[in-house]
Structure formats: C-alpha cells, structure tokens
Coordinates of all heavy atoms in Angstrom, one line a residue:
M2 N 0.8 -1.2 0.0 CA 0.0 0.0 0.0 C 0.9 1.3 0.0 O 0.6 2.2 -0.7 CB -0.9 -0.1 1.2 CG -1.9 1.1 1.3 SD -3.1 0.9 0.0 CE -4.2 2.2 0.5
L3 N 1.9 1.3 0.9 CA 2.8 2.4 0.9 C 3.5 2.6 -0.4 O 3.7 3.7 -0.9 CB 3.8 2.3 2.1 CG 4.8 3.4 2.2 CD1 4.1 4.7 2.6 CD2 5.8 3.0 3.3
M4 N 4.0 1.5 -1.0 CA 4.7 1.6 -2.3 C 3.8 2.2 -3.4 O 4.2 3.0 -4.2 CB 5.3 0.3 -2.6 CG 6.3 0.3 -3.7 SD 7.6 1.5 -3.2 CE 8.9 0.7 -3.9
A5 N 2.5 1.8 -3.4 CA 1.6 2.3 -4.4 C 1.4 3.8 -4.2 O 1.3 4.5 -5.2 CB 0.3 1.5 -4.3
A6 N 1.3 4.2 -2.9 CA 1.1 5.7 -2.7 C 2.3 6.5 -3.1 O 2.2 7.5 -3.7 CB 0.8 5.9 -1.2
I7 N 3.5 5.9 -2.9 CA 4.8 6.6 -3.3 C 4.8 6.7 -4.8 O 5.2 7.7 -5.4 CB 6.0 5.9 -2.7 CG1 6.0 6.1 -1.2 CG2 7.3 6.4 -3.3 CD1 7.1 5.3 -0.4
L8 N 4.5 5.6 -5.4 CA 4.5 5.5 -6.9 C 3.5 6.5 -7.5 O 3.8 7.2 -8.4 CB 4.2 4.1 -7.4 CG 4.3 3.9 -8.9 CD1 5.7 4.2 -9.4 CD2 3.9 2.4 -9.2
A9 N 2.3 6.6 -6.9 CA 1.3 7.5 -7.4 C 1.7 8.9 -7.2 O 1.5 9.8 -8.1 CB -0.1 7.2 -6.7
L10 N 2.3 9.3 -6.1 CA 2.8 10.6 -5.9 C 3.9 11.0 -6.8 O 4.0 12.1 -7.3 CB 3.2 10.8 -4.4 CG 2.1 10.9 -3.4 CD1 2.6 10.9 -2.0 CD2 1.2 12.1 -3.6
G11 N 4.8 10.0 -7.0 CA 5.9 10.3 -8.0 C 5.4 10.5 -9.4 O 5.9 11.4 -10.1
L12 N 4.5 9.7 -9.8 CA 3.9 9.8 -11.2 C 3.1 11.2 -11.3 O 3.2 11.8 -12.3 CB 3.0 8.7 -11.5 CG 3.7 7.3 -11.8 CD1 2.7 6.2 -12.0 CD2 4.6 7.4 -13.0
G13 N 2.4 11.5 -10.3 CA 1.7 12.8 -10.3 C 2.6 14.0 -10.4 O 2.4 14.9 -11.1
T14 N 3.7 13.9 -9.6 CA 4.7 15.0 -9.6 C 5.3 15.1 -11.0 O 5.5 16.2 -11.5 CB 5.7 14.8 -8.6 OG1 5.1 14.7 -7.3 CG2 6.8 15.9 -8.6
Y15 N 5.7 14.0 -11.6 CA 6.3 14.0 -12.9 C 5.3 14.5 -14.0 O 5.7 15.3 -14.8 CB 6.7 12.6 -13.3 CG 7.4 12.5 -14.6 CD1 8.7 13.0 -14.8 CD2 6.8 12.0 -15.7 CE1 9.3 13.0 -16.0 CE2 7.4 11.9 -17.0 CZ 8.7 12.4 -17.1 OH 9.3 12.4 -18.3
A16 N 4.0 14.1 -13.9 CA 3.0 14.6 -14.8 C 2.8 16.1 -14.7 O 2.7 16.8 -15.7 CB 1.7 13.9 -14.6
I17 N 2.8 16.6 -13.5 CA 2.7 18.1 -13.3 C 3.9 18.8 -13.9 O 3.7 19.8 -14.6 CB 2.5 18.5 -11.9 CG1 1.1 18.0 -11.4 CG2 2.7 19.9 -11.6 CD1 0.9 18.1 -9.9
R18 N 5.1 18.3 -13.7 CA 6.3 18.9 -14.2 C 6.3 18.8 -15.8 O 6.7 19.8 -16.4 CB 7.5 18.3 -13.6 CG 7.7 18.6 -12.1 CD 8.9 18.0 -11.6 NE 10.1 18.5 -12.2 CZ 10.9 19.5 -11.7 NH1 10.6 20.1 -10.6 NH2 12.0 19.9 -12.3
L19 N 5.9 17.7 -16.3 CA 5.9 17.5 -17.7 C 4.8 18.4 -18.4 O 5.1 18.9 -19.5 CB 5.6 16.1 -18.1 CG 5.7 15.7 -19.5 CD1 7.1 15.9 -20.1 CD2 5.3 14.2 -19.7
S20 N 3.7 18.6 -17.7 CA 2.6 19.4 -18.3 C 3.1 20.9 -18.5 O 2.7 21.5 -19.4 CB 1.4 19.4 -17.5 OG 1.6 20.0 -16.2
G21 N 3.9 21.4 -17.6 CA 4.4 22.7 -17.7 C 5.3 22.9 -18.9 O 5.2 23.9 -19.7
V22 N 6.1 21.9 -19.2 CA 6.9 22.0 -20.4 C 6.1 21.8 -21.7 O 6.3 22.5 -22.7 CB 8.0 20.8 -20.4 CG1 8.8 20.8 -21.7 CG2 8.9 21.1 -19.2
L23 N 5.1 20.9 -21.7 CA 4.3 20.6 -22.9 C 3.3 21.8 -23.2 O 3.0 22.0 -24.3 CB 3.6 19.3 -22.7 CG 4.5 18.1 -22.7 CD1 3.6 16.8 -22.5 CD2 5.3 17.9 -23.9
L24 N 2.8 22.4 -22.1 CA 1.8 23.4 -22.3 C 2.4 24.9 -22.4 O 1.6 25.8 -22.6 CB 0.8 23.4 -21.2 CG 0.0 22.1 -21.1 CD1 -0.9 22.1 -19.9 CD2 -0.9 21.9 -22.4
R25 N 3.6 25.0 -22.3 CA 4.2 26.4 -22.3 C 3.8 27.2 -23.6 O 3.5 28.3 -23.4 CB 5.8 26.2 -22.3 CG 6.4 27.6 -22.3 CD 7.9 27.5 -22.1 NE 8.2 27.0 -20.7 CZ 9.3 26.5 -20.3 NH1 10.3 26.4 -21.1 NH2 9.4 26.1 -19.1
E26 N 3.8 26.5 -24.7 CA 3.5 27.3 -25.9 C 2.0 27.5 -26.1 O 1.6 28.4 -26.8 CB 4.0 26.5 -27.2 CG 5.5 26.2 -27.1 CD 6.3 27.5 -27.2 OE1 5.9 28.5 -27.9 OE2 7.3 27.6 -26.5
R27 N 1.2 26.7 -25.5 CA -0.3 26.8 -25.7 C -0.9 27.7 -24.7 O -2.0 28.2 -24.9 CB -0.9 25.4 -25.5 CG -0.5 24.5 -26.6 CD -1.3 23.2 -26.5 NE -0.9 22.3 -27.6 CZ -1.5 21.1 -27.7 NH1 -2.5 20.8 -26.9 NH2 -1.2 20.4 -28.7
L28 N -0.3 27.9 -23.5 CA -1.0 28.6 -22.5 C -0.4 30.0 -22.4 O 0.8 30.2 -22.3 CB -0.7 27.9 -21.1 CG -1.4 28.5 -19.9 CD1 -2.9 28.4 -20.1 CD2 -0.9 27.7 -18.7
E29 N -1.2 31.1 -22.5 CA -0.8 32.4 -22.5 C -1.3 33.1 -21.2 O -2.5 33.1 -21.0 CB -1.2 33.2 -23.7 CG -0.6 34.6 -23.8 CD -0.8 35.2 -25.1 OE1 -0.9 34.5 -26.1 OE2 -0.9 36.4 -25.2
L30 N -0.4 33.6 -20.3 CA -0.8 34.2 -19.1 C -0.9 35.7 -19.3 O 0.0 36.3 -20.0 CB 0.1 33.8 -18.0 CG 0.3 32.3 -17.7 CD1 1.3 32.1 -16.6 CD2 -1.1 31.7 -17.3
S31 N -1.8 36.3 -18.6 CA -1.8 37.8 -18.6 C -0.6 38.4 -17.9 O 0.1 37.7 -17.1 CB -3.1 38.3 -17.9 OG -3.1 38.1 -16.6
D32 N -0.4 39.7 -18.2 CA 0.8 40.3 -17.6 C 0.6 40.4 -16.1 O 1.6 40.3 -15.3 CB 1.0 41.7 -18.2 CG 1.4 41.7 -19.6 OD1 2.0 40.7 -20.0 OD2 1.2 42.7 -20.3
N33 N -0.6 40.7 -15.6 CA -0.8 40.7 -14.2 C -0.5 39.4 -13.5 O 0.1 39.3 -12.4 CB -2.3 41.1 -13.9 CG -2.5 42.6 -14.2 OD1 -1.6 43.4 -14.2 ND2 -3.8 42.9 -14.4
L34 N -1.0 38.3 -14.1 CA -0.7 37.0 -13.5 C 0.8 36.6 -13.6 O 1.3 36.0 -12.6 CB -1.5 35.9 -14.3 CG -1.5 34.5 -13.7 CD1 -2.0 34.5 -12.3 CD2 -2.3 33.6 -14.5
Q35 N 1.5 37.0 -14.6 CA 2.9 36.8 -14.7 C 3.7 37.5 -13.6 O 4.7 37.1 -13.2 CB 3.4 37.1 -16.1 CG 3.1 36.2 -17.2 CD 3.6 36.5 -18.5 OE1 4.3 37.6 -18.7 NE2 3.4 35.7 -19.5
R36 N 3.2 38.7 -13.3 CA 3.8 39.5 -12.2 C 3.4 38.9 -10.8 O 4.2 38.9 -9.9 CB 3.3 40.9 -12.2 CG 4.4 41.9 -12.6 CD 4.0 43.3 -12.5 NE 2.6 43.6 -12.1 CZ 1.6 44.0 -13.0 NH1 1.9 44.0 -14.3 NH2 0.4 44.3 -12.6
L37 N 2.3 38.3 -10.7 CA 1.8 37.8 -9.5 C 2.4 36.4 -9.1 O 2.6 36.1 -7.9 CB 0.2 37.7 -9.5 CG -0.4 37.2 -8.2 CD1 -0.3 38.2 -7.1 CD2 -1.9 36.9 -8.5
L38 N 2.7 35.6 -10.0 CA 3.2 34.2 -9.8 C 4.5 34.2 -9.0 O 4.6 33.4 -8.0 CB 3.3 33.4 -11.1 CG 1.9 32.9 -11.6 CD1 2.1 32.2 -13.0 CD2 1.2 32.0 -10.7
P39 N 5.5 35.0 -9.3 CA 6.7 34.9 -8.5 C 6.4 35.4 -7.0 O 7.0 34.8 -6.1 CB 7.7 35.9 -9.2 CG 7.2 36.0 -10.6 CD 5.7 35.8 -10.5
M40 N 5.6 36.4 -6.8 CA 5.2 36.8 -5.5 C 4.5 35.7 -4.7 O 4.7 35.5 -3.5 CB 4.4 38.1 -5.5 CG 5.2 39.3 -6.0 SD 4.3 40.8 -5.9 CE 3.0 40.6 -7.1
A41 N 3.6 35.0 -5.4 CA 2.9 33.9 -4.8 C 3.8 32.8 -4.4 O 3.7 32.2 -3.3 CB 1.8 33.4 -5.7
A42 N 4.8 32.5 -5.2 CA 5.8 31.4 -4.9 C 6.6 31.9 -3.7 O 6.9 31.0 -2.8 CB 6.7 31.2 -6.1
A43 N 7.0 33.1 -3.6 CA 7.8 33.6 -2.5 C 7.0 33.6 -1.2 O 7.6 33.2 -0.2 CB 8.3 35.0 -2.8
S44 N 5.7 33.9 -1.3 CA 4.9 33.9 -0.1 C 4.7 32.5 0.4 O 4.7 32.2 1.6 CB 3.6 34.6 -0.3 OG 2.8 33.9 -1.2
L45 N 4.5 31.5 -0.5 CA 4.4 30.1 -0.1 C 5.7 29.6 0.6 O 5.7 28.9 1.6 CB 4.0 29.2 -1.3 CG 2.6 29.3 -1.7 CD1 2.4 28.5 -3.0 CD2 1.7 28.8 -0.6
L46 N 6.8 30.0 0.0 CA 8.1 29.6 0.6 C 8.3 30.2 2.0 O 8.8 29.6 2.9 CB 9.3 30.0 -0.3 CG 10.7 29.6 0.1 CD1 10.7 28.1 0.2 CD2 11.7 30.1 -0.9
A47 N 7.9 31.5 2.1 CA 8.0 32.1 3.4 C 7.1 31.5 4.5 O 7.5 31.3 5.6 CB 7.7 33.6 3.3
A48 N 5.9 31.1 4.1 CA 5.0 30.4 5.0 C 5.5 29.0 5.4 O 5.4 28.6 6.6 CB 3.6 30.2 4.3
L49 N 6.1 28.3 4.4 CA 6.7 27.0 4.8 C 7.9 27.2 5.7 O 8.0 26.5 6.7 CB 7.2 26.3 3.5 CG 8.0 25.0 3.7 CD1 7.0 24.0 4.2 CD2 8.6 24.6 2.4
A50 N 8.7 28.2 5.5 CA 9.9 28.4 6.4 C 9.4 28.9 7.8 O 10.0 28.4 8.8 CB 10.8 29.5 5.8
A51 N 8.4 29.7 7.9 CA 7.9 30.1 9.2 C 7.3 28.9 9.9 O 7.5 28.8 11.1 CB 6.8 31.2 9.0
T52 N 6.5 28.1 9.2 CA 6.0 26.9 9.9 C 7.0 26.0 10.4 O 7.0 25.5 11.5 CB 5.0 26.2 8.9 OG1 4.0 27.0 8.4 CG2 4.4 25.0 9.5
A53 N 8.1 25.7 9.6 CA 9.1 24.8 10.0 C 9.9 25.4 11.1 O 10.4 24.7 12.0 CB 10.1 24.6 8.8
A54 N 10.1 26.8 11.2 CA 10.9 27.4 12.2 C 10.1 27.5 13.5 O 10.7 27.4 14.6 CB 11.3 28.8 11.8
L55 N 8.8 27.6 13.5 CA 8.0 27.9 14.7 C 7.3 26.7 15.2 O 6.9 26.7 16.4 CB 7.0 29.0 14.4 CG 7.6 30.3 14.0 CD1 6.5 31.3 13.7 CD2 8.4 30.9 15.1
M56 N 7.1 25.6 14.5 CA 6.2 24.5 14.9 C 7.0 23.2 14.9 O 7.8 23.0 14.0 CB 5.0 24.4 14.0 CG 4.1 25.6 13.9 SD 3.4 26.1 15.5 CE 2.3 24.8 15.8
A57 N 6.8 22.4 15.9 CA 7.3 21.0 16.0 C 6.0 20.1 16.1 O 5.5 20.0 17.2 CB 8.2 20.8 17.1
G58 N 5.6 19.6 15.0 CA 4.3 18.8 15.1 C 3.2 19.8 15.2 O 3.0 20.7 14.3
S59 N 2.4 19.8 16.3 CA 1.3 20.7 16.5 C 1.6 21.7 17.6 O 0.7 22.4 18.0 CB 0.1 19.9 16.7 OG 0.2 19.2 17.9
E60 N 2.8 21.7 18.1 CA 3.2 22.6 19.2 C 4.3 23.6 18.8 O 5.1 23.4 17.9 CB 3.7 21.8 20.4 CG 2.6 20.8 20.9 CD 3.1 20.0 22.1 OE1 4.3 20.3 22.6 OE2 2.4 19.1 22.5
F61 N 4.3 24.7 19.5 CA 5.3 25.8 19.3 C 6.7 25.2 19.8 O 6.8 24.5 20.8 CB 4.9 27.0 20.1 CG 6.0 28.1 20.0 CD1 6.2 28.7 18.8 CD2 6.7 28.5 21.2 CE1 7.1 29.7 18.8 CE2 7.6 29.5 21.1 CZ 7.8 30.1 19.9
T62 N 7.7 25.5 19.0 CA 9.0 24.9 19.3 C 9.7 25.6 20.5 O 10.6 25.0 21.1 CB 10.0 25.1 18.1 OG1 10.1 26.4 17.8 CG2 9.5 24.4 16.9
G63 N 9.3 26.7 20.9 CA 10.1 27.5 21.9 C 10.9 28.5 21.2 O 11.0 28.5 20.0
P64 N 11.6 29.4 21.9 CA 12.3 30.5 21.3 C 13.7 30.1 20.7 O 14.2 30.8 19.9 CB 12.5 31.5 22.4 CG 12.3 30.7 23.7 CD 11.5 29.6 23.4
A65 N 14.2 28.9 21.0 CA 15.6 28.6 20.6 C 15.7 28.4 19.0 O 16.5 29.0 18.4 CB 16.1 27.3 21.3
R66 N 14.8 27.7 18.5 CA 14.8 27.4 17.0 C 14.5 28.7 16.2 O 15.3 29.0 15.3 CB 13.8 26.3 16.6 CG 14.0 26.0 15.1 CD 13.0 25.0 14.6 NE 12.9 23.7 15.3 CZ 12.0 22.8 15.0 NH1 11.1 23.0 14.1 NH2 12.0 21.7 15.6
P67 N 13.5 29.5 16.6 CA 13.3 30.8 15.8 C 14.5 31.7 16.0 O 14.8 32.4 15.0 CB 12.0 31.4 16.5 CG 11.3 30.2 17.0 CD 12.4 29.2 17.5
M68 N 15.1 31.7 17.1 CA 16.3 32.6 17.2 C 17.4 32.1 16.3 O 18.1 33.0 15.7 CB 16.8 32.6 18.7 CG 16.0 33.5 19.6 SD 15.8 35.2 19.1 CE 17.5 35.7 19.2
G69 N 17.6 30.8 16.2 CA 18.6 30.3 15.2 C 18.3 30.7 13.8 O 19.1 31.0 13.0
V70 N 17.0 30.5 13.5 CA 16.6 30.9 12.1 C 16.7 32.4 11.9 O 17.2 32.8 10.8 CB 15.1 30.5 11.9 CG1 14.5 31.0 10.6 CG2 14.9 29.0 12.0
L71 N 16.5 33.2 12.9 CA 16.6 34.6 12.7 C 18.1 35.0 12.5 O 18.4 35.8 11.6 CB 16.1 35.4 14.0 CG 16.3 36.9 13.9 CD1 15.4 37.5 12.9 CD2 15.9 37.4 15.3
I72 N 19.0 34.4 13.2 CA 20.4 34.6 13.0 C 20.8 34.2 11.6 O 21.6 34.9 10.9 CB 21.3 33.9 14.0 CG1 21.0 34.4 15.4 CG2 22.8 33.9 13.7 CD1 21.4 35.8 15.6
G73 N 20.4 33.0 11.2 CA 20.7 32.6 9.8 C 20.1 33.5 8.7 O 20.8 33.8 7.7
A74 N 18.9 34.0 9.0 CA 18.3 34.9 8.0 C 19.1 36.2 7.9 O 19.3 36.7 6.8 CB 16.8 35.2 8.4
V75 N 19.5 36.7 9.0 CA 20.3 38.0 9.0 C 21.6 37.8 8.3 O 22.0 38.6 7.4 CB 20.5 38.5 10.4 CG1 21.6 39.6 10.5 CG2 19.2 39.0 11.1
L76 N 22.3 36.6 8.5 CA 23.5 36.4 7.8 C 23.3 36.1 6.4 O 24.1 36.6 5.5 CB 24.3 35.2 8.5 CG 24.8 35.5 9.9 CD1 25.4 34.2 10.5 CD2 25.9 36.5 9.8
A77 N 22.2 35.5 6.0 CA 22.0 35.2 4.6 C 21.6 36.6 3.9 O 22.1 36.8 2.8 CB 20.8 34.3 4.4
Y78 N 20.9 37.4 4.6 CA 20.6 38.8 4.0 C 21.9 39.6 3.8 O 22.0 40.3 2.8 CB 19.7 39.5 5.0 CG 19.3 40.9 4.5 CD1 18.4 41.1 3.4 CD2 19.9 42.0 5.1 CE1 18.1 42.3 3.0 CE2 19.6 43.3 4.6 CZ 18.7 43.5 3.6 OH 18.4 44.7 3.1
R79 N 22.9 39.4 4.7 CA 24.1 40.1 4.6 C 25.1 39.4 3.6 O 26.3 39.7 3.5 CB 24.8 40.3 5.9 CG 23.8 41.1 6.8 CD 24.4 41.4 8.2 NE 24.6 42.8 8.2 CZ 25.5 43.5 8.8 NH1 26.5 42.8 9.4 NH2 25.6 44.8 8.8
R80 N 24.6 38.4 2.9 CA 25.3 37.6 1.9 C 26.6 36.9 2.5 O 27.6 36.8 1.9 CB 25.7 38.5 0.8 CG 24.6 39.1 0.1 CD 24.9 39.6 -1.3 NE 23.9 40.4 -1.9 CZ 22.8 40.0 -2.5 NH1 22.7 38.7 -2.6 NH2 22.0 40.8 -3.0
A81 N 26.4 36.3 3.7 CA 27.5 35.5 4.3 C 27.5 34.2 3.5 O 26.5 33.7 2.9 CB 27.2 35.2 5.7
P82 N 28.7 33.5 3.5 CA 28.7 32.2 2.9 C 27.7 31.2 3.5 O 27.4 31.2 4.7 CB 30.2 31.7 3.1 CG 30.9 33.0 3.5 CD 29.9 33.9 4.1
F83 N 27.2 30.3 2.6 CA 26.2 29.4 3.1 C 26.6 28.6 4.3 O 25.8 28.4 5.2 CB 25.8 28.4 1.9 CG 24.8 27.4 2.3 CD1 23.4 27.8 2.4 CD2 25.1 26.1 2.4 CE1 22.5 26.9 2.8 CE2 24.1 25.2 2.8 CZ 22.8 25.6 2.9
I84 N 27.8 28.1 4.3 CA 28.3 27.2 5.4 C 28.3 28.1 6.7 O 27.9 27.6 7.8 CB 29.6 26.6 5.1 CG1 30.0 25.6 6.2 CG2 30.7 27.6 5.0 CD1 29.1 24.3 6.1
A85 N 28.6 29.3 6.6 CA 28.6 30.2 7.8 C 27.2 30.4 8.3 O 26.9 30.5 9.5 CB 29.3 31.6 7.5
V86 N 26.2 30.6 7.4 CA 24.8 30.8 7.8 C 24.3 29.5 8.5 O 23.7 29.6 9.6 CB 24.0 31.0 6.5 CG1 22.5 31.0 6.8 CG2 24.3 32.4 5.9
V87 N 24.6 28.4 7.9 CA 24.1 27.1 8.6 C 24.8 26.9 9.9 O 24.1 26.6 10.9 CB 24.3 25.9 7.6 CG1 24.0 24.6 8.3 CG2 23.5 26.1 6.4
L88 N 26.1 27.1 10.0 CA 26.8 26.8 11.2 C 26.3 27.8 12.3 O 26.2 27.5 13.5 CB 28.3 26.9 11.0 CG 28.9 25.7 10.3 CD1 30.3 25.9 10.1 CD2 28.6 24.4 11.1
A89 N 26.2 29.1 11.9 CA 25.7 30.1 12.9 C 24.3 29.8 13.5 O 24.1 29.9 14.7 CB 25.8 31.5 12.3
A90 N 23.4 29.4 12.6 CA 22.1 29.1 13.0 C 22.0 27.9 13.9 O 21.4 27.9 14.9 CB 21.2 28.9 11.7
A91 N 22.7 26.9 13.5 CA 22.8 25.7 14.3 C 23.4 25.9 15.7 O 23.0 25.4 16.7 CB 23.5 24.5 13.6
T92 N 24.5 26.6 15.7 CA 25.3 26.9 16.9 C 24.4 27.8 17.8 O 24.4 27.5 19.0 CB 26.6 27.6 16.6 OG1 27.3 26.8 15.7 CG2 27.4 27.9 17.9
T93 N 23.7 28.8 17.3 CA 22.8 29.6 18.1 C 21.8 28.8 18.8 O 21.5 28.9 20.0 CB 22.2 30.7 17.3 OG1 23.2 31.5 16.7 CG2 21.3 31.6 18.1
T94 N 21.1 27.9 18.0 CA 20.1 27.1 18.6 C 20.6 26.1 19.6 O 20.0 25.9 20.7 CB 19.4 26.3 17.4 OG1 18.9 27.2 16.5 CG2 18.2 25.4 18.0
A95 N 21.8 25.5 19.3 CA 22.3 24.6 20.2 C 22.8 25.2 21.5 O 22.5 24.7 22.6 CB 23.5 23.9 19.6
L96 N 23.4 26.4 21.5 CA 23.8 27.1 22.7 C 22.6 27.5 23.5 O 22.6 27.5 24.8 CB 24.7 28.3 22.3 CG 26.1 27.9 21.8 CD1 26.8 29.2 21.4 CD2 26.9 27.2 22.9
L97 N 21.6 28.0 22.9 CA 20.4 28.4 23.6 C 19.7 27.2 24.3 O 19.3 27.3 25.5 CB 19.4 29.1 22.7 CG 19.7 30.5 22.3 CD1 18.7 31.0 21.2 CD2 19.7 31.4 23.5
R98 N 19.7 26.1 23.6 CA 19.1 24.9 24.2 C 20.0 24.4 25.4 O 19.5 23.9 26.4 CB 18.9 23.8 23.2 CG 17.7 24.1 22.3 CD 17.3 23.0 21.4 NE 16.2 23.4 20.6 CZ 15.8 22.9 19.5 NH1 16.5 21.9 19.0 NH2 14.7 23.3 18.9
L99 N 21.3 24.5 25.2 CA 22.3 24.1 26.2 C 22.1 25.0 27.5 O 22.2 24.5 28.6 CB 23.7 24.2 25.7 CG 24.8 23.7 26.6 CD1 24.6 22.2 26.8 CD2 26.2 24.0 26.0
A100 N 21.7 26.2 27.3 CA 21.5 27.2 28.4 C 20.1 27.0 29.0 O 19.8 27.7 30.0 CB 21.6 28.6 27.9
G101 N 19.3 26.1 28.5 CA 18.1 25.7 29.1 C 16.9 26.4 28.5 O 15.7 26.3 28.9
V102 N 17.1 27.2 27.4 CA 16.0 27.8 26.7 C 15.3 26.7 25.8 O 16.0 26.0 25.0 CB 16.5 28.9 25.8 CG1 15.4 29.6 25.0 CG2 17.2 30.0 26.6
P103 N 14.0 26.5 25.9 CA 13.4 25.4 25.1 C 13.4 25.6 23.7 O 13.4 26.7 23.1 CB 11.9 25.4 25.7 CG 11.7 26.7 26.4 CD 13.1 27.2 26.7

C-alpha cells in the first residue's frame, strides 16, 4: 500500500512537471498573472519556512529554534557564505538549548 502511494505521488509529480513543459507554448498568461506568480511562490516559501521554524508537530518549538533561524536569515541577508549561515544558525540554537531555553 505504501509503495503504491509513493508511486502514485511520484507519477503525479512527474506529470505536473511535464505538463508545464508541454503546455508552455499553448498557455498564455496575462501580464498581471505573470507578475503575481513569483510573489505567490515567494509567499508560499516564506509560509513554509515560518511553519518549519516555529512549529514542531502541532506545538510551538520554543524560542531557541526561531532565534537560530533569525540569525541565519540575518547572515543570509548580509550575503554570508552558506556554510557560515548554517553553522551560525545551528550553533545559536544549540547554545540556547544548552543554556536551558526550550
């Protein structure tokens, strides 16, 4: 049953990606929609990042993880190297949890 679900999701994902390539020439989007789609994608990504940073299952994670994400976001905004962003975010979270902050 699990393998059938994985296969169905994989085929569905492939079909959606393939339809974009095949329908590119046939589908014409308005200028307003073409301007709106990148903003919609960015807002969905921001919502996913906020959910992952703030929630663990159905409960709030506590302040340690959001502080680590905030440090990482600031460093990424200042164009720090990726490894520095990841290490600073993880270190901040680990140190706060070591200090007893949930």
